[in-house]
Amino acid sequence: LRHSIHNYYVFYADSTDLLEKAQEKLRPLPEGLRMVKLTYENKHLYKCRIGDMDKLLQCSVNGELWVVVDDDNLIVAFHYGTYRGNRSIFNNVKNCDFEHVSLEVDKRYQRKGIALHLLYHTVKNLKYDDVKNKRLGTCIKPSNTKSIKLHELIGFKKSHRVILFHIRRKKDG
């Protein structure tokens, strides 16, 4: 048996506050980049080096998957989130309508405002018929200081810590 322990902070934000704070800090995407909602129907148009596109799409069946692509249709950043009541990675993120699950930006494009753009765009395009409280939640590893600073900058507040313990069987053979 193999086991692992993962430590996360849980953060929450009100979507209205987040939109206002993010809009103040938002700058245009760098030249040559554009935002796209990734779906099974359009996935063949794009190439991805920063994640497994099929795995992302499989996770996002009941959620939202937004990507930033360059002129060559290469995905340089993505953001995935899901509505509560749908599939959730973290069971300890409670009392929120939308769970911000994963955001990744290619190292060459970091510190250019792309992550903020993705968060803002996702929240702006939430289907508010599916949400009641307009509250968002996420889990972030304590070592990911860049992500913590970004989230706190736009109104996420640390709520509590979660420790997840995973046990996996070694594959036979």
Side-chain angles (χ1 to χ4, degrees):
L1 293 178
R2 292 185 345 199
H3 71 279
S4 59
I5 298 173
H6 298 281
N7 194 356
Y8 296 93
Y9 289 133
V10 177
F11 288 81
Y12 291 107
D14 176 273
S15 61
T16 308
D17 293 343
L18 186 148
L19 285 172
E20 289 172 9
K21 288 181 180 177
Q23 194 167 22
E24 292 172 8
K25 308 207 180 307
L26 204 59
R27 54 188 181 205
L29 281 173
E31 194 172 323
L33 299 181
R34 67 188 187 286
M35 187 85 59
V36 176
K37 184 172 182 180
L38 194 64
T39 64
Y40 279 104
E41 292 77 29
N42 71 3
K43 76 172 189 171
H44 65 280
L45 300 173
Y46 307 103
K47 299 171 273 194
C48 186
R49 277 194 227 140
I50 58 171
D52 181 342
M53 195 168 354
D54 286 327
K55 187 175 178 183
L56 284 171
L57 282 165
Q58 197 173 27
C59 288
S60 71
V61 168
N62 295 316
E64 299 282 323
L65 179 58
W66 291 91
V67 297
V68 174
V69 298
D70 65 12
D71 288 333
D72 296 324
N73 284 338
L74 178 66
I75 296 172
V76 300
F78 67 82
H79 177 253
Y80 160 64
T82 186
Y83 295 96
R84 295 304 289 172
N86 295 333
R87 186 174 175 190
S88 173
I89 292 177
F90 301 107
N91 295 323
N92 292 321
V93 180
K94 299 181 189 305
N95 304 317
C96 69
D97 296 310
F98 188 81
E99 184 179 347
H100 153 60
V101 178
S102 182
L103 187 145
E104 190 166 335
V105 179
D106 185 308
K107 287 190 189 302
R108 296 172 293 163
Y109 291 93
Q110 289 179 355
R111 308 223 20 104
K112 298 187 186 304
I114 294 172
L116 179 60
H117 225 287
L118 279 165
L119 279 172
Y120 175 80
H121 196 77
T122 301
V123 174
K124 186 177 173 192
N125 287 289
L126 286 176
K127 296 179 235 154
Y128 281 103
D129 297 344
D130 296 336
V131 299
K132 297 176 190 123
N133 305 318
K134 298 182 180 164
R135 192 165 180 217
L136 285 72
T138 191
C139 287
I140 304 172
K141 290 183 178 182
S143 61
N144 192 348
T145 55
K146 288 180 188 176
S147 185
I148 289 171
K149 285 179 183 178
L150 170 69
H151 286 79
E152 289 178 335
L153 179 73
I154 57 175
F156 278 88
K157 292 186 176 34
K158 192 185 318 179
S159 171
H160 59 280
R161 184 177 273 206
V162 177
I163 298 174
L164 299 175
F165 186 72
H166 297 278
I167 299 176
R168 284 184 242 160
R169 253 180 86 181
K170 287 184 181 178
K171 292 187 177 184
D172 295 332

